């Protein structure tokens, strides 16, 4: 049976924070204890090497005590917990719902009731060092996860935290909060944070984690409900969401087979067919975005036979624009074929072909049948960023004209694939691109001609020459930050970028280059200005501080 969710006792939680802080039970402390081999294995959810290191030290090192208890699913004596958590003690940990004790004697066994682990991350606001409570995972329990399992901070959670813009905002919404990790990150730069989830258990974990890690946990407004229902008719400056986006069979015989084999998991299964939940969120989130507000989410979408994914997801962006005037930017980061996708999510819940072969096969068949019923050839995963433009962006929450992908105009509509490495945290870069689009929307080509630009500090230039040639065949401008884009530049464009040091206006540089290349200035301007706008949008070039306006 699932253990009760942790209980918030303010005085005990504060004492727990102090004990954890002095125990050395943080990310660096645990990795130092375990060493590189056992730490790497534990990241792969293999606990044996970590147990070999930690268990002999349980009565000697508080880090080993707490790691064995909360990370590895081990048993420790009550006296070891009392030493590791001197202010809280085993009794206080029991009252908080963190552990179960077999008795009150010093040698009586104590087991973890929940997972409590150190967390470290860097977002666009800087570094964080916290402890996060969630349900015990498969490594600790050795069994399939229960349907109401509350997931800790996995790879998707960390990615969303890193790609979120972190400008100060008045109100923020964490939709589908889970253990509350996005709410914690957002509370650092938002005056008020509303966190919603359909799971009462998830909200209890969020309340505990907020009390453990935030000085003012009362700024979190926790609400139970599905999708946008708990915040209907409200507006937010920022919406973040790691929703239950997994494409799980729900209808027909395939849905029955998966439910019988695996059950439903609240943290990942949204109860909609295919990618309908994601479509509903993308097309509907504008109803709660304030003018200038941004929504960012990690989601899946289907690649269907005979239709490019950009066409399918682009139709969602168009609907969001029609209804609420939203800008839209989608970055596809990964694509899995139907078999890979089914394997990933069947295994995610703790079902494996060797442990439960019949359940594995039944779920696998059902997943493939479900995909085949909609002609799904692959599943994409990526980042969706939506923005409701404000008055300075060419709209005031109402539909705006124009369909501009590479800068300028009143609308940002961009769908692209980027499977390579990125420079995290990405949130500052994404925010800078949104700001650049706003700037471009209010600056015509004539305005650009009298603007002074400078090359961003992370830009380098690569030149490729045929042996013996005096001039390069290819010039690539390379971005070191953000998405690490590479842009192939013509000789005039490369020369213009090289001259952007903030001293001359773009028009003056074009005039000088026109004389050098012996072409009319107007003709050269028509050639390079669209590319210059694209470089401004993507952060290769930025307006200089000494511009007049």
């Amino acid at each position: 049976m699932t253990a009760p969710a942790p209980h918030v006792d303010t005085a005990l939680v504060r004492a727990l924070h102090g004990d954890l802080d002095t125990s050395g039970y943080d990310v660096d402390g645990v990795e130092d204890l375990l060493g590189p081999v056992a730490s790497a294995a534990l990241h792969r959810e293999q606990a044996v090497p970590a147990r070999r290191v930690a268990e002999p030290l349980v009565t000697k090192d508080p880090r080993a005590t707490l790691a064995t208890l909360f990370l590895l699913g081990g048993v420790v004596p009550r006296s070891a917990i009392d030493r590791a958590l001197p202010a809280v003690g085993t009794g206080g940990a029991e009252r908080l719902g963190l552990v179960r004790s077999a008795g009150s004697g010093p040698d009586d066994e104590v087991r973890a009731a929940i997972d409590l682990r150190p967390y470290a991350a860097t977002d666009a606001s800087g570094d964080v060092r916290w402890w996060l409570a969630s349900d015990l995972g498969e490594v600790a329990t050795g069994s399939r996860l229960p349907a109401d399992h509350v997931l800790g901070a996995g790879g998707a959670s960390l990615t969303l935290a890193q790609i979120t813009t972190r400008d100060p905002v008045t109100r923020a919404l964490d939709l589908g909060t889970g253990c509350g990790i996005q709410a914690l990150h957002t509370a650092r730069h938002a005056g008020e944070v509303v966190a919603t989830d359909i799971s009462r258990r998830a909200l209890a974990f969020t309340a505990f984690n907020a009390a453990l890690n935030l000085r003012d946990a009362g700024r979190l407004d926790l609400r139970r409900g599905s999708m946008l229902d708990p915040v209907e008719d409200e507006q937010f400056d920022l919406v973040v969401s790691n929703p239950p986006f997994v494409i799980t069979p729900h209808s027909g015989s395939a849905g029955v087979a998966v439910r019988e084999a695996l059950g439903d998991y609240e943290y990942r299964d949204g109860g909609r067919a295919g990618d309908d939940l994601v479509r509903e969120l993308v097309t509907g989130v504008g109803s709660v975005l304030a003018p200038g507000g941004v929504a960012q989410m990690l989601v899946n979408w289907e690649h269907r036979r005979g239709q490019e994914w950009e066409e399918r997801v682009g139709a969602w962006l168009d609907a969001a624009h029609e209804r609420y005037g939203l800008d839209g930017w989608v970055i596809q980061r990964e694509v899995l074929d139907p078999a890979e996708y089914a394997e990933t999510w069947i295994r995610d819940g703790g079902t494996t072909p060797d442990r439960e072969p019949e359940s594995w096969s039944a779920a696998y068949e059902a997943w493939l049948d479900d995909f085949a019923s909609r002609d799904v050839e692959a599943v994409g995963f990526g980042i969706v960023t939506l923005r409701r433009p404000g008055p300075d962006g060419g709209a005031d929450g109402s539909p705006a004209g124009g369909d501009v992908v590479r800068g300028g105009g009143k609308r940002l509509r961009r769908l692209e694939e980027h499977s390579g490495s990125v420079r995290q945290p990405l949130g500052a870069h994404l925010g800078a691109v949104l700001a650049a689009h706003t700037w471009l929307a209010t600056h015509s080509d004539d305005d650009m001609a009298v603007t002074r630009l400078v090359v961003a500090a992370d830009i380098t230039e690569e030149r490729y020459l045929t042996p013996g040639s005096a001039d390069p065949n290819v010039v690539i401008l390379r971005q070191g930050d953000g998405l690490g884009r590479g842009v192939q530049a013509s000789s005039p464009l490369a020369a213009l970028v090289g001259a952007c040091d903030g001293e001359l206006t773009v028009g003056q540089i074009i005039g000088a280059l026109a004389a050098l290349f012996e072409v009319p200035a107007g003709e050269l301007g028509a050639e390079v200005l669209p590319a210059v706008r694209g470089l401004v949008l993507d952060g290769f070039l930025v307006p200089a501080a000494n511009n007049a306006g």
Side-chain angles (χ1 to χ4, degrees):
M1 294 180 61
T2 304
H7 169 65
V8 176
D9 177 311
T10 302
L12 272 178
V13 171
R14 287 175 180 168
L16 176 64
H17 185 282
D19 283 345
L20 294 173
D21 195 34
T22 58
S23 69
Y25 184 60
D26 55 29
V27 170
D28 293 337
V30 171
E31 291 194 353
D32 178 64
L33 168 75
L34 298 180
V37 173
S39 294
L42 192 57
H43 287 307
R44 299 192 301 270
E45 298 190 348
Q46 298 299 318
V48 172
R51 288 180 181 138
R52 289 168 61 88
V53 173
E55 287 178 355
L57 301 173
V58 160
T59 60
K60 303 173 184 177
D61 190 324
R63 300 172 300 173
T65 304
L66 298 175
T68 299
L69 182 68
F70 291 118
L71 300 184
L72 305 175
V75 176
V76 300
R78 188 181 182 100
S79 59
I81 300 296
D82 291 337
R83 284 193 296 270
L85 303 174
V88 174
T90 305
E94 284 185 283
R95 291 194 295 277
L96 289 173
L98 309 184
V99 301
R100 297 190 182 107
S101 177
S104 57
D107 296 326
D108 285 326
E109 294 183 344
V110 179
R111 294 181 180 273
I114 64 167
D115 183 298
L116 180 66
R117 67 181 56 216
Y119 173 83
T122 301
D123 65 17
S125 291
D127 297 335
V128 296
R129 298 290 184 270
W130 294 323
W131 297 273
L132 291 178
S134 62
D135 275 321
L136 291 167
E138 183 187 354
V139 169
T141 65
S143 60
R144 184 193 294 183
L145 303 180
D148 61 350
H149 180 83
V150 176
L151 197 66
S157 298
L158 180 58
T159 298
L160 181 57
Q162 291 177 318
I163 63 102
T164 300
T165 60
R166 298 296 173 189
D167 296 329
V169 295
T170 301
R171 299 193 79 215
L173 169 65
D174 176 14
L175 191 156
T177 190
C179 73
I181 183 60
Q182 304 307 324
L184 296 186
H185 276 275
T186 304
R188 301 167 72 216
H189 63 101
E192 177 190 357
V193 179
V194 176
T196 69
D197 205 290
I198 198 169
S199 165
R200 295 184 188 278
R201 185 173 181 80
L203 293 175
F205 273 101
T206 298
F208 182 84
N209 287 325
L212 180 59
N213 295 292
L214 299 181
R215 293 182 179 179
D216 184 12
R219 289 190 295 115
L220 261 63
D221 180 357
L222 306 182
R223 305 183 191 177
R224 182 171 179 265
S226 176
M227 299 293 283
L228 295 169
D229 291 347
V231 293
E232 189 176 5
D233 299 326
E234 297 183 49
Q235 290 196 321
F236 298 89
D237 307 299
L238 175 67
V239 177
V240 294
S241 185
N242 188 8
F245 59 72
V246 177
I247 299 172
T248 305
H250 284 288
S251 60
S253 58
V256 172
V258 167
R259 283 192 295 275
E260 289 179 349
L262 306 181
D264 282 327
Y265 292 105
E266 289 180 335
Y267 72 87
R268 73 180 203 189
D269 298 325
R272 309 289 203 281
D275 52 19
D276 282 354
L277 181 141
V278 175
R279 175 182 55 80
E280 291 172 17
L281 184 55
V282 170
T283 59
V285 72
S287 65
V288 299
L289 277 181
V294 174
Q296 295 181 280
M297 60 193 79
L298 293 180
V299 290
N300 278 161
W301 49 80
E302 295 180 339
H303 292 213
R304 294 186 179 178
R305 185 176 297 113
Q307 183 183 40
E308 297 295 329
W309 77 268
E310 295 94 338
E311 179 185 353
R312 177 174 177 74
V313 180
W316 303 348
L317 298 187
D318 294 341
H321 178 68
E322 271 187 44
R323 296 177 67 182
Y324 305 109
L326 300 193
D327 291 330
W329 182 9
V330 180
I331 303 172
Q332 180 166 270
R333 295 285 289 141
E334 184 180 15
V335 178
L336 296 180
D337 65 45
E340 290 176 300
Y341 192 84
E343 293 163 17
T344 296
W345 293 108
I346 299 170
R347 194 181 298 274
D348 172 76
T351 300
T352 61
D354 53 338
R355 182 188 297 157
E356 299 175 82
E358 292 184 4
S359 295
W360 173 274
S361 296
Y364 207 156
E365 289 277 5
W367 233 294
L368 296 183
D369 286 344
D370 184 61
F371 280 139
S373 71
R374 295 187 301 278
D375 291 328
V376 175
E377 297 181 320
V379 178
F381 169 81
I383 304 164
V384 175
T385 300
L386 302 165
R387 178 179 61 172
R388 187 170 188 172
D392 60 346
D396 189 9
S398 57
D403 183 11
V404 179
V405 176
R406 294 287 297 170
K410 293 183 177 181
R411 181 186 179 194
L412 176 66
R413 182 187 188 273
R414 191 170 192 177
L415 299 102
E416 58 184 314
E417 186 162 5
H418 191 96
S419 57
S421 61
V422 299
R423 181 76 175 270
Q424 294 283 19
L426 195 60
H429 174 75
L430 299 184
V433 171
L434 294 179
H437 182 269
T438 297
W439 186 87
L440 288 164
T442 58
H443 287 71
S444 66
D445 283 354
D446 290 340
D447 297 326
M448 184 69 73
V450 297
T451 298
R452 294 174 175 83
L453 299 174
V454 295
V455 182
D458 63 311
I459 304 304
T460 57
E461 183 181 273
E462 301 171 5
R463 291 174 174 254
Y464 297 87
L465 296 87
T466 301
S469 175
D471 298 316
N473 305 95
V474 178
V475 177
I476 296 177
L477 303 174
R478 183 73 64 186
Q479 187 177 55
D481 199 2
L483 292 169
R485 297 184 187 276
V487 174
Q488 186 170 339
S490 64
S491 295
L493 180 61
L496 185 149
V497 171
C500 284
D501 58 5
E503 294 300 318
L504 299 176
T505 67
V506 172
Q508 289 170 328
I509 297 172
I510 289 175
L513 292 176
L516 179 65
F517 286 98
E518 298 181 344
V519 295
E523 182 179 316
L524 184 61
E527 174 190 336
V528 300
L529 277 176
V532 169
R533 298 182 76 89
L535 293 176
V536 171
L537 177 68
D538 288 330
F540 287 74
L541 296 172
V542 294
N546 61 347
N547 281 300

